[in-house]
Amino acid sequence: MPPPSDIVKVAIEWPGAFPKLMEIDQKKPLSAIIKEVCEGWSLGNHENFALQNADSTNFYITEKNRNDIKNGSILRLTTSPSQMAGQLHERIQSSSMDAKLEALKDLANSSRDITFAQEFINLDGISLLTQMVESGTERYQKLQKIMKPCFGDLLSFTLTAFVELMDHGIVSWDTFSVAFIKKIAGYVNKSAMDMAVLQRSLAILESMVLNSQDLYQKVAQEITIGQLIPHLQGTDQDIQTYTIAVINALFLKAPEDKRQEMAHILAQKQLRSIILSNVIRSPKPINDEMAHQLYVLQVLTFNLLEDRMMTKMDPQDQAQRDIIFELRRIAFDVECEPNNSGSIEKRKSMYTRDYKKLGFINHVNPAMDFTQIPPGMLALDNMLYFARHHQDAYIRIVLENSSREDKHECPFGRSSIELTKMLCEILKVGELPSENCHDFHPMFFTHDRSFEEFFCICIQLLNKTWKEMRATSEDFNKVMQVVREQIMRALTQKPNSLDQLKSRLQNLSYTEILKIRQSERMNQEDFQSRPILELREKIQPEIMELIKQQRLNRLCDGTRFRKISSRRRQDKFWYCRLSPNHKVLHYGDLEESLQGEVTHDSLQEKLPVADIKAVVTGKDCPHMKEKGALKQNKEVQELAFSVLYESDEYLNFIAPDKHEYCVWTDGLNALLGKEMTSDFTKSDMDTLLSMEMKLRLLDLENIQIPEAPPPIPKEPSNYDFVYDCN
């Protein structure tokens, strides 16, 4: 007979004694179990003891997490969290350097456990650590030269403990003094600083800036991006990652009036070239966290264009009108005529003719073309940059088109405006960076004016594609669609430089795009004759059932989900999977070091499928309404879903990627008997249906299938050919 589910068999250790095998009744209070263990070893004052996991985590067992105990677990009887916190609080104030160092090492290790952290914080432990950083370490400054390793370790463990305690979100970041911030900033600004201390200091600065607007102001006064740049020139990728994270945080939280100042720093060649040579082109492969920080930096840099993108042109502003005059002058090399040369009507007529050649929609007043937002004034900026920095190409495009027939002319002005708008959509200018994206493009770090250069390459591509398509003015939108496809296909290949982008685009001519489209069309060929449509309808339910089974099988395998946290690098996960009989969702916290399959037994929490009332997605999820920062992030919202059960209870998820999001929302809807509506289901249906159709029609290859069935032949004159089985 199997043991009751509430009984867990464990081994319990105690220093100097043989481990004790015992059965724990999960229905009994934890204090009663600890008392029983203490009495077994003749230990008094059982309230001063607690149980903890005897693994690498050493986390305390509490009433909240006791269900995580598995059969065969090894536990340790140890000092209670309150006693341990009191002892460490006292030990870290020891006058002995060795004792202090050992105590801080233990504190850094223990602070990862929220149970201990709560007790230590209750003793005003964080204030003690900040005081030690502010003033306590001064005593050892004189000894630093002869005891440098010891001093570095002492500070490193102090800051590690501080970071771990703050990561639990128990204490607000708004409570720290200027003296403490000055100290942390001082460690970052020092040229020769212990790597561990530097790493912790950068992490603290990033958290301060991201979690408090008031602290942002104080940190911004103490540290500049210029002081952070030297840390990018080292070889330690972790330090480089934390440094870029701080730069991103300072930029993300900068108020509007400081944006332009930050923009100037970001646009400096020094910062860009250092990141390019020391990070992107480093011999070390770029890890996911570094790729994410580079992606964030890329997004924030492009977001500087948002102001110009959303600014309409003022037709009365002479400075803005002068830019249009400059475009005309460069294109046609017109000498500045004296004001009295010719009549006003003659000059107006000449201007109108030239503006028509330049391809503006409004030939009389081209300023009106730039009143549409987006792209607003950004389009005019791009046109002027192209005219000044790629003058030969600009003149060639304008003159080439002005010599064509009107209907075959590729309008430079209109094309530039629409292309700028398209590039802003492709690069998502103005949107906040995604939480889980690593999609940065190395080529944008190779030039100080990368967006403008990108535009210059693409406007020449557009003109080339226009000629290849022999397009007329009616084909403008078709040409733009082809150009978008050419750009997107080139970007997916992640060119390392703008020159490499040019060569990729050169290979993606209109003829090549037609071949790719034809190939894709052949792969997903869809016959439209009635018999085949009927066959499709007949097969479709079978395919949908197959997709449903696949989704449920994936839910049975389970998925690892990231816990919602204010600090991105805090890699804490939980796991959820469906039982093989499709009746229960098993879920629970996941050990960071856990490898291999996660069993159902290891996931203590259960949610019967019968109790699920509904599945909600996106901004309707409770955790999207609660988290202010996440609420603004469109891409995180797109990965969020929640399961509603009982009376307004929710199980909240943020999928690791779009694929997992579709799998889980489809699977949960299938469990509830609802339709699977995700993009992933549509894609699978198209692929599988196409494949099944091709297999079934394999014997009919090259045979024309008629629209109507063939006529029934006449009856035979006799039935002598019928064979009598009897």
PDB file of all heavy atoms in Angstrom, residues 410-411 414-423 426 458-459 462 465-466 469 471 475-487 517:
ATOM      1  N   CYS A 410       9.914  58.109 -60.643  1.00  0.00           N
ATOM      2  CA  CYS A 410       9.920  57.692 -59.227  1.00  0.00           C
ATOM      3  C   CYS A 410      10.030  58.962 -58.380  1.00  0.00           C
ATOM      4  O   CYS A 410      11.098  59.581 -58.320  1.00  0.00           O
ATOM      5  CB  CYS A 410      11.098  56.761 -58.949  1.00  0.00           C
ATOM      6  SG  CYS A 410      11.228  56.274 -57.209  1.00  0.00           S
ATOM      7  N   PRO A 411       8.955  59.394 -57.732  1.00  0.00           N
ATOM      8  CA  PRO A 411       8.968  60.697 -57.042  1.00  0.00           C
ATOM      9  C   PRO A 411       9.862  60.673 -55.806  1.00  0.00           C
ATOM     10  O   PRO A 411       9.545  60.018 -54.817  1.00  0.00           O
ATOM     11  CB  PRO A 411       7.495  60.898 -56.662  1.00  0.00           C
ATOM     12  CG  PRO A 411       6.906  59.529 -56.608  1.00  0.00           C
ATOM     13  CD  PRO A 411       7.680  58.680 -57.557  1.00  0.00           C
ATOM     14  N   ARG A 414       8.092  62.145 -52.385  1.00  0.00           N
ATOM     15  CA  ARG A 414       7.082  61.239 -51.822  1.00  0.00           C
ATOM     16  C   ARG A 414       7.721  59.938 -51.335  1.00  0.00           C
ATOM     17  O   ARG A 414       7.380  59.419 -50.270  1.00  0.00           O
ATOM     18  CB  ARG A 414       6.021  60.956 -52.893  1.00  0.00           C
ATOM     19  CG  ARG A 414       4.875  60.092 -52.398  1.00  0.00           C
ATOM     20  CD  ARG A 414       3.914  59.733 -53.519  1.00  0.00           C
ATOM     21  NE  ARG A 414       2.911  58.793 -53.072  1.00  0.00           N
ATOM     22  CZ  ARG A 414       2.109  58.113 -53.870  1.00  0.00           C
ATOM     23  NH1 ARG A 414       2.178  58.295 -55.182  1.00  0.00           N
ATOM     24  NH2 ARG A 414       1.214  57.260 -53.391  1.00  0.00           N
ATOM     25  N   SER A 415       8.674  59.415 -52.136  1.00  0.00           N
ATOM     26  CA  SER A 415       9.357  58.165 -51.759  1.00  0.00           C
ATOM     27  C   SER A 415      10.095  58.328 -50.433  1.00  0.00           C
ATOM     28  O   SER A 415      10.053  57.443 -49.569  1.00  0.00           O
ATOM     29  CB  SER A 415      10.365  57.761 -52.836  1.00  0.00           C
ATOM     30  OG  SER A 415       9.725  57.551 -54.056  1.00  0.00           O
ATOM     31  N   SER A 416      10.787  59.457 -50.265  1.00  0.00           N
ATOM     32  CA  SER A 416      11.571  59.698 -49.046  1.00  0.00           C
ATOM     33  C   SER A 416      10.677  59.752 -47.817  1.00  0.00           C
ATOM     34  O   SER A 416      11.017  59.219 -46.753  1.00  0.00           O
ATOM     35  CB  SER A 416      12.357  61.008 -49.174  1.00  0.00           C
ATOM     36  OG  SER A 416      13.257  60.930 -50.247  1.00  0.00           O
ATOM     37  N   ILE A 417       9.524  60.409 -47.969  1.00  0.00           N
ATOM     38  CA  ILE A 417       8.588  60.541 -46.838  1.00  0.00           C
ATOM     39  C   ILE A 417       8.045  59.167 -46.448  1.00  0.00           C
ATOM     40  O   ILE A 417       8.060  58.785 -45.268  1.00  0.00           O
ATOM     41  CB  ILE A 417       7.446  61.520 -47.202  1.00  0.00           C
ATOM     42  CG1 ILE A 417       8.014  62.942 -47.337  1.00  0.00           C
ATOM     43  CG2 ILE A 417       6.330  61.481 -46.161  1.00  0.00           C
ATOM     44  CD1 ILE A 417       7.089  63.931 -48.027  1.00  0.00           C
ATOM     45  N   GLU A 418       7.599  58.390 -47.431  1.00  0.00           N
ATOM     46  CA  GLU A 418       7.037  57.068 -47.144  1.00  0.00           C
ATOM     47  C   GLU A 418       8.108  56.100 -46.648  1.00  0.00           C
ATOM     48  O   GLU A 418       7.855  55.267 -45.773  1.00  0.00           O
ATOM     49  CB  GLU A 418       6.361  56.496 -48.402  1.00  0.00           C
ATOM     50  CG  GLU A 418       5.069  57.184 -48.787  1.00  0.00           C
ATOM     51  CD  GLU A 418       4.011  57.110 -47.689  1.00  0.00           C
ATOM     52  OE1 GLU A 418       3.886  56.051 -47.043  1.00  0.00           O
ATOM     53  OE2 GLU A 418       3.320  58.123 -47.463  1.00  0.00           O
ATOM     54  N   LEU A 419       9.327  56.214 -47.203  1.00  0.00           N
ATOM     55  CA  LEU A 419      10.417  55.328 -46.775  1.00  0.00           C
ATOM     56  C   LEU A 419      10.811  55.617 -45.330  1.00  0.00           C
ATOM     57  O   LEU A 419      11.033  54.692 -44.536  1.00  0.00           O
ATOM     58  CB  LEU A 419      11.625  55.504 -47.700  1.00  0.00           C
ATOM     59  CG  LEU A 419      12.842  54.634 -47.352  1.00  0.00           C
ATOM     60  CD1 LEU A 419      12.524  53.153 -47.495  1.00  0.00           C
ATOM     61  CD2 LEU A 419      14.039  54.989 -48.232  1.00  0.00           C
ATOM     62  N   THR A 420      10.899  56.911 -44.964  1.00  0.00           N
ATOM     63  CA  THR A 420      11.239  57.274 -43.580  1.00  0.00           C
ATOM     64  C   THR A 420      10.201  56.700 -42.626  1.00  0.00           C
ATOM     65  O   THR A 420      10.545  56.145 -41.567  1.00  0.00           O
ATOM     66  CB  THR A 420      11.318  58.809 -43.426  1.00  0.00           C
ATOM     67  OG1 THR A 420      12.290  59.317 -44.342  1.00  0.00           O
ATOM     68  CG2 THR A 420      11.698  59.200 -42.010  1.00  0.00           C
ATOM     69  N   LYS A 421       8.932  56.812 -42.998  1.00  0.00           N
ATOM     70  CA  LYS A 421       7.850  56.261 -42.169  1.00  0.00           C
ATOM     71  C   LYS A 421       8.014  54.742 -42.026  1.00  0.00           C
ATOM     72  O   LYS A 421       7.876  54.185 -40.929  1.00  0.00           O
ATOM     73  CB  LYS A 421       6.500  56.594 -42.812  1.00  0.00           C
ATOM     74  CG  LYS A 421       5.296  56.188 -41.989  1.00  0.00           C
ATOM     75  CD  LYS A 421       4.006  56.570 -42.711  1.00  0.00           C
ATOM     76  CE  LYS A 421       2.788  56.098 -41.951  1.00  0.00           C
ATOM     77  NZ  LYS A 421       1.540  56.403 -42.677  1.00  0.00           N
ATOM     78  N   MET A 422       8.352  54.085 -43.118  1.00  0.00           N
ATOM     79  CA  MET A 422       8.534  52.633 -43.097  1.00  0.00           C
ATOM     80  C   MET A 422       9.702  52.218 -42.201  1.00  0.00           C
ATOM     81  O   MET A 422       9.594  51.282 -41.402  1.00  0.00           O
ATOM     82  CB  MET A 422       8.773  52.119 -44.526  1.00  0.00           C
ATOM     83  CG  MET A 422       8.901  50.598 -44.615  1.00  0.00           C
ATOM     84  SD  MET A 422       9.735  50.072 -46.112  1.00  0.00           S
ATOM     85  CE  MET A 422       8.525  50.477 -47.335  1.00  0.00           C
ATOM     86  N   LEU A 423      10.825  52.935 -42.316  1.00  0.00           N
ATOM     87  CA  LEU A 423      12.001  52.597 -41.500  1.00  0.00           C
ATOM     88  C   LEU A 423      11.709  52.794 -40.015  1.00  0.00           C
ATOM     89  O   LEU A 423      12.189  52.030 -39.176  1.00  0.00           O
ATOM     90  CB  LEU A 423      13.208  53.445 -41.926  1.00  0.00           C
ATOM     91  CG  LEU A 423      13.713  53.235 -43.366  1.00  0.00           C
ATOM     92  CD1 LEU A 423      14.958  54.073 -43.623  1.00  0.00           C
ATOM     93  CD2 LEU A 423      14.003  51.767 -43.639  1.00  0.00           C
ATOM     94  N   ILE A 426       9.802  49.734 -38.985  1.00  0.00           N
ATOM     95  CA  ILE A 426      10.666  48.547 -38.918  1.00  0.00           C
ATOM     96  C   ILE A 426      11.520  48.578 -37.649  1.00  0.00           C
ATOM     97  O   ILE A 426      11.677  47.566 -36.957  1.00  0.00           O
ATOM     98  CB  ILE A 426      11.556  48.453 -40.175  1.00  0.00           C
ATOM     99  CG1 ILE A 426      10.704  48.092 -41.403  1.00  0.00           C
ATOM    100  CG2 ILE A 426      12.673  47.426 -39.993  1.00  0.00           C
ATOM    101  CD1 ILE A 426      11.436  48.184 -42.733  1.00  0.00           C
ATOM    102  N   CYS A 458      18.693  52.751 -48.424  1.00  0.00           N
ATOM    103  CA  CYS A 458      17.346  52.269 -48.785  1.00  0.00           C
ATOM    104  C   CYS A 458      16.685  53.124 -49.859  1.00  0.00           C
ATOM    105  O   CYS A 458      15.917  52.604 -50.673  1.00  0.00           O
ATOM    106  CB  CYS A 458      16.457  52.197 -47.540  1.00  0.00           C
ATOM    107  SG  CYS A 458      17.013  50.952 -46.364  1.00  0.00           S
ATOM    108  N   ILE A 459      16.964  54.433 -49.901  1.00  0.00           N
ATOM    109  CA  ILE A 459      16.341  55.280 -50.937  1.00  0.00           C
ATOM    110  C   ILE A 459      16.932  54.926 -52.308  1.00  0.00           C
ATOM    111  O   ILE A 459      16.227  54.948 -53.330  1.00  0.00           O
ATOM    112  CB  ILE A 459      16.485  56.795 -50.619  1.00  0.00           C
ATOM    113  CG1 ILE A 459      15.554  57.640 -51.508  1.00  0.00           C
ATOM    114  CG2 ILE A 459      17.901  57.281 -50.748  1.00  0.00           C
ATOM    115  CD1 ILE A 459      14.097  57.470 -51.246  1.00  0.00           C
ATOM    116  N   LEU A 462      15.259  51.757 -53.318  1.00  0.00           N
ATOM    117  CA  LEU A 462      13.895  52.020 -53.786  1.00  0.00           C
ATOM    118  C   LEU A 462      13.905  52.458 -55.255  1.00  0.00           C
ATOM    119  O   LEU A 462      13.113  51.978 -56.064  1.00  0.00           O
ATOM    120  CB  LEU A 462      13.252  53.092 -52.899  1.00  0.00           C
ATOM    121  CG  LEU A 462      11.736  53.298 -53.017  1.00  0.00           C
ATOM    122  CD1 LEU A 462      11.172  53.835 -51.704  1.00  0.00           C
ATOM    123  CD2 LEU A 462      11.353  54.256 -54.132  1.00  0.00           C
ATOM    124  N   THR A 465      14.734  49.429 -57.422  1.00  0.00           N
ATOM    125  CA  THR A 465      13.593  48.504 -57.510  1.00  0.00           C
ATOM    126  C   THR A 465      12.502  49.073 -58.413  1.00  0.00           C
ATOM    127  O   THR A 465      11.866  48.340 -59.180  1.00  0.00           O
ATOM    128  CB  THR A 465      13.034  48.216 -56.094  1.00  0.00           C
ATOM    129  OG1 THR A 465      14.096  47.695 -55.282  1.00  0.00           O
ATOM    130  CG2 THR A 465      11.890  47.230 -56.120  1.00  0.00           C
ATOM    131  N   TRP A 466      12.300  50.390 -58.330  1.00  0.00           N
ATOM    132  CA  TRP A 466      11.302  51.067 -59.184  1.00  0.00           C
ATOM    133  C   TRP A 466      11.624  50.816 -60.663  1.00  0.00           C
ATOM    134  O   TRP A 466      10.744  50.487 -61.462  1.00  0.00           O
ATOM    135  CB  TRP A 466      11.309  52.566 -58.867  1.00  0.00           C
ATOM    136  CG  TRP A 466      10.268  53.367 -59.605  1.00  0.00           C
ATOM    137  CD1 TRP A 466      10.310  53.791 -60.907  1.00  0.00           C
ATOM    138  CD2 TRP A 466       9.018  53.834 -59.086  1.00  0.00           C
ATOM    139  NE1 TRP A 466       9.184  54.497 -61.228  1.00  0.00           N
ATOM    140  CE2 TRP A 466       8.365  54.549 -60.130  1.00  0.00           C
ATOM    141  CE3 TRP A 466       8.390  53.748 -57.849  1.00  0.00           C
ATOM    142  CZ2 TRP A 466       7.124  55.152 -59.962  1.00  0.00           C
ATOM    143  CZ3 TRP A 466       7.152  54.350 -57.677  1.00  0.00           C
ATOM    144  CH2 TRP A 466       6.520  55.041 -58.727  1.00  0.00           C
ATOM    145  N   MET A 469      11.074  47.153 -61.659  1.00  0.00           N
ATOM    146  CA  MET A 469       9.652  46.807 -61.771  1.00  0.00           C
ATOM    147  C   MET A 469       8.969  47.543 -62.924  1.00  0.00           C
ATOM    148  O   MET A 469       7.788  47.296 -63.191  1.00  0.00           O
ATOM    149  CB  MET A 469       8.928  47.140 -60.457  1.00  0.00           C
ATOM    150  CG  MET A 469       9.305  46.238 -59.293  1.00  0.00           C
ATOM    151  SD  MET A 469       8.498  46.719 -57.739  1.00  0.00           S
ATOM    152  CE  MET A 469       6.807  46.238 -58.061  1.00  0.00           C
ATOM    153  N   ALA A 471       7.888  50.453 -62.905  1.00  0.00           N
ATOM    154  CA  ALA A 471       6.680  50.905 -62.210  1.00  0.00           C
ATOM    155  C   ALA A 471       6.174  52.230 -62.751  1.00  0.00           C
ATOM    156  O   ALA A 471       6.932  53.031 -63.318  1.00  0.00           O
ATOM    157  CB  ALA A 471       6.966  51.041 -60.715  1.00  0.00           C
ATOM    158  N   ASP A 475       1.713  52.221 -59.309  1.00  0.00           N
ATOM    159  CA  ASP A 475       2.345  51.067 -58.652  1.00  0.00           C
ATOM    160  C   ASP A 475       3.119  51.454 -57.392  1.00  0.00           C
ATOM    161  O   ASP A 475       3.850  50.620 -56.837  1.00  0.00           O
ATOM    162  CB  ASP A 475       3.322  50.375 -59.624  1.00  0.00           C
ATOM    163  CG  ASP A 475       2.625  49.879 -60.879  1.00  0.00           C
ATOM    164  OD1 ASP A 475       1.490  49.400 -60.748  1.00  0.00           O
ATOM    165  OD2 ASP A 475       3.220  49.988 -61.968  1.00  0.00           O
ATOM    166  N   PHE A 476       2.971  52.698 -56.938  1.00  0.00           N
ATOM    167  CA  PHE A 476       3.803  53.192 -55.830  1.00  0.00           C
ATOM    168  C   PHE A 476       3.726  52.262 -54.611  1.00  0.00           C
ATOM    169  O   PHE A 476       4.753  51.868 -54.049  1.00  0.00           O
ATOM    170  CB  PHE A 476       3.366  54.612 -55.435  1.00  0.00           C
ATOM    171  CG  PHE A 476       4.253  55.246 -54.405  1.00  0.00           C
ATOM    172  CD1 PHE A 476       5.417  55.903 -54.764  1.00  0.00           C
ATOM    173  CD2 PHE A 476       3.942  55.161 -53.049  1.00  0.00           C
ATOM    174  CE1 PHE A 476       6.246  56.477 -53.809  1.00  0.00           C
ATOM    175  CE2 PHE A 476       4.761  55.721 -52.089  1.00  0.00           C
ATOM    176  CZ  PHE A 476       5.911  56.388 -52.473  1.00  0.00           C
ATOM    177  N   ASN A 477       2.513  51.891 -54.198  1.00  0.00           N
ATOM    178  CA  ASN A 477       2.358  51.052 -52.999  1.00  0.00           C
ATOM    179  C   ASN A 477       2.943  49.655 -53.193  1.00  0.00           C
ATOM    180  O   ASN A 477       3.506  49.075 -52.252  1.00  0.00           O
ATOM    181  CB  ASN A 477       0.882  50.948 -52.592  1.00  0.00           C
ATOM    182  CG  ASN A 477       0.354  52.267 -52.063  1.00  0.00           C
ATOM    183  OD1 ASN A 477       1.110  53.075 -51.532  1.00  0.00           O
ATOM    184  ND2 ASN A 477      -0.945  52.502 -52.215  1.00  0.00           N
ATOM    185  N   LYS A 478       2.838  49.121 -54.413  1.00  0.00           N
ATOM    186  CA  LYS A 478       3.421  47.803 -54.699  1.00  0.00           C
ATOM    187  C   LYS A 478       4.945  47.854 -54.557  1.00  0.00           C
ATOM    188  O   LYS A 478       5.564  46.936 -54.008  1.00  0.00           O
ATOM    189  CB  LYS A 478       3.058  47.359 -56.125  1.00  0.00           C
ATOM    190  CG  LYS A 478       1.603  46.968 -56.306  1.00  0.00           C
ATOM    191  CD  LYS A 478       1.355  46.540 -57.748  1.00  0.00           C
ATOM    192  CE  LYS A 478      -0.139  46.265 -57.979  1.00  0.00           C
ATOM    193  NZ  LYS A 478      -0.425  45.974 -59.390  1.00  0.00           N
ATOM    194  N   VAL A 479       5.542  48.937 -55.083  1.00  0.00           N
ATOM    195  CA  VAL A 479       7.003  49.094 -54.984  1.00  0.00           C
ATOM    196  C   VAL A 479       7.411  49.159 -53.502  1.00  0.00           C
ATOM    197  O   VAL A 479       8.381  48.511 -53.087  1.00  0.00           O
ATOM    198  CB  VAL A 479       7.484  50.363 -55.725  1.00  0.00           C
ATOM    199  CG1 VAL A 479       8.990  50.566 -55.518  1.00  0.00           C
ATOM    200  CG2 VAL A 479       7.162  50.266 -57.212  1.00  0.00           C
ATOM    201  N   MET A 480       6.649  49.931 -52.695  1.00  0.00           N
ATOM    202  CA  MET A 480       6.977  50.068 -51.274  1.00  0.00           C
ATOM    203  C   MET A 480       6.897  48.715 -50.560  1.00  0.00           C
ATOM    204  O   MET A 480       7.707  48.420 -49.675  1.00  0.00           O
ATOM    205  CB  MET A 480       6.037  51.073 -50.594  1.00  0.00           C
ATOM    206  CG  MET A 480       6.190  52.513 -51.067  1.00  0.00           C
ATOM    207  SD  MET A 480       7.881  53.171 -50.976  1.00  0.00           S
ATOM    208  CE  MET A 480       8.128  53.279 -49.219  1.00  0.00           C
ATOM    209  N   GLN A 481       5.944  47.872 -50.955  1.00  0.00           N
ATOM    210  CA  GLN A 481       5.827  46.533 -50.353  1.00  0.00           C
ATOM    211  C   GLN A 481       7.047  45.675 -50.674  1.00  0.00           C
ATOM    212  O   GLN A 481       7.576  44.970 -49.812  1.00  0.00           O
ATOM    213  CB  GLN A 481       4.561  45.838 -50.859  1.00  0.00           C
ATOM    214  CG  GLN A 481       3.269  46.370 -50.253  1.00  0.00           C
ATOM    215  CD  GLN A 481       2.041  45.791 -50.931  1.00  0.00           C
ATOM    216  OE1 GLN A 481       2.133  44.912 -51.789  1.00  0.00           O
ATOM    217  NE2 GLN A 481       0.868  46.296 -50.565  1.00  0.00           N
ATOM    218  N   VAL A 482       7.498  45.754 -51.939  1.00  0.00           N
ATOM    219  CA  VAL A 482       8.682  44.985 -52.344  1.00  0.00           C
ATOM    220  C   VAL A 482       9.915  45.485 -51.596  1.00  0.00           C
ATOM    221  O   VAL A 482      10.726  44.695 -51.101  1.00  0.00           O
ATOM    222  CB  VAL A 482       8.900  45.066 -53.879  1.00  0.00           C
ATOM    223  CG1 VAL A 482      10.227  44.410 -54.274  1.00  0.00           C
ATOM    224  CG2 VAL A 482       7.746  44.422 -54.614  1.00  0.00           C
ATOM    225  N   VAL A 483      10.051  46.813 -51.475  1.00  0.00           N
ATOM    226  CA  VAL A 483      11.208  47.402 -50.780  1.00  0.00           C
ATOM    227  C   VAL A 483      11.205  46.975 -49.305  1.00  0.00           C
ATOM    228  O   VAL A 483      12.253  46.625 -48.750  1.00  0.00           O
ATOM    229  CB  VAL A 483      11.202  48.944 -50.913  1.00  0.00           C
ATOM    230  CG1 VAL A 483      12.232  49.574 -49.989  1.00  0.00           C
ATOM    231  CG2 VAL A 483      11.482  49.344 -52.361  1.00  0.00           C
ATOM    232  N   ARG A 484      10.032  46.984 -48.668  1.00  0.00           N
ATOM    233  CA  ARG A 484       9.941  46.535 -47.267  1.00  0.00           C
ATOM    234  C   ARG A 484      10.423  45.081 -47.149  1.00  0.00           C
ATOM    235  O   ARG A 484      11.183  44.742 -46.234  1.00  0.00           O
ATOM    236  CB  ARG A 484       8.507  46.652 -46.753  1.00  0.00           C
ATOM    237  CG  ARG A 484       8.344  46.156 -45.311  1.00  0.00           C
ATOM    238  CD  ARG A 484       6.888  46.134 -44.892  1.00  0.00           C
ATOM    239  NE  ARG A 484       6.432  47.416 -44.426  1.00  0.00           N
ATOM    240  CZ  ARG A 484       6.494  47.821 -43.156  1.00  0.00           C
ATOM    241  NH1 ARG A 484       7.004  47.029 -42.237  1.00  0.00           N
ATOM    242  NH2 ARG A 484       6.049  49.003 -42.812  1.00  0.00           N
ATOM    243  N   GLU A 485       9.990  44.245 -48.095  1.00  0.00           N
ATOM    244  CA  GLU A 485      10.397  42.832 -48.066  1.00  0.00           C
ATOM    245  C   GLU A 485      11.903  42.699 -48.258  1.00  0.00           C
ATOM    246  O   GLU A 485      12.563  41.908 -47.571  1.00  0.00           O
ATOM    247  CB  GLU A 485       9.643  42.060 -49.162  1.00  0.00           C
ATOM    248  CG  GLU A 485       9.825  40.564 -49.066  1.00  0.00           C
ATOM    249  CD  GLU A 485       8.978  39.783 -50.064  1.00  0.00           C
ATOM    250  OE1 GLU A 485       7.972  40.333 -50.564  1.00  0.00           O
ATOM    251  OE2 GLU A 485       9.335  38.624 -50.343  1.00  0.00           O
ATOM    252  N   GLN A 486      12.468  43.494 -49.173  1.00  0.00           N
ATOM    253  CA  GLN A 486      13.923  43.452 -49.399  1.00  0.00           C
ATOM    254  C   GLN A 486      14.676  43.843 -48.122  1.00  0.00           C
ATOM    255  O   GLN A 486      15.647  43.185 -47.724  1.00  0.00           O
ATOM    256  CB  GLN A 486      14.299  44.408 -50.541  1.00  0.00           C
ATOM    257  CG  GLN A 486      13.847  43.917 -51.921  1.00  0.00           C
ATOM    258  CD  GLN A 486      14.021  44.986 -52.988  1.00  0.00           C
ATOM    259  OE1 GLN A 486      13.638  46.142 -52.796  1.00  0.00           O
ATOM    260  NE2 GLN A 486      14.583  44.607 -54.135  1.00  0.00           N
ATOM    261  N   ILE A 487      14.218  44.921 -47.456  1.00  0.00           N
ATOM    262  CA  ILE A 487      14.893  45.409 -46.245  1.00  0.00           C
ATOM    263  C   ILE A 487      14.779  44.380 -45.122  1.00  0.00           C
ATOM    264  O   ILE A 487      15.768  44.059 -44.450  1.00  0.00           O
ATOM    265  CB  ILE A 487      14.309  46.774 -45.803  1.00  0.00           C
ATOM    266  CG1 ILE A 487      14.631  47.856 -46.844  1.00  0.00           C
ATOM    267  CG2 ILE A 487      14.852  47.184 -44.440  1.00  0.00           C
ATOM    268  CD1 ILE A 487      13.856  49.153 -46.653  1.00  0.00           C
ATOM    269  N   ARG A 517       9.325  34.518 -53.810  1.00  0.00           N
ATOM    270  CA  ARG A 517       7.859  34.451 -53.660  1.00  0.00           C
ATOM    271  C   ARG A 517       7.288  33.235 -54.387  1.00  0.00           C
ATOM    272  O   ARG A 517       6.403  32.549 -53.877  1.00  0.00           O
ATOM    273  CB  ARG A 517       7.225  35.736 -54.208  1.00  0.00           C
ATOM    274  CG  ARG A 517       7.369  36.936 -53.294  1.00  0.00           C
ATOM    275  CD  ARG A 517       6.712  38.148 -53.924  1.00  0.00           C
ATOM    276  NE  ARG A 517       6.727  39.307 -53.037  1.00  0.00           N
ATOM    277  CZ  ARG A 517       6.232  40.490 -53.371  1.00  0.00           C
ATOM    278  NH1 ARG A 517       5.694  40.665 -54.569  1.00  0.00           N
ATOM    279  NH2 ARG A 517       6.252  41.501 -52.520  1.00  0.00           N
TER     280      ARG A 517
END
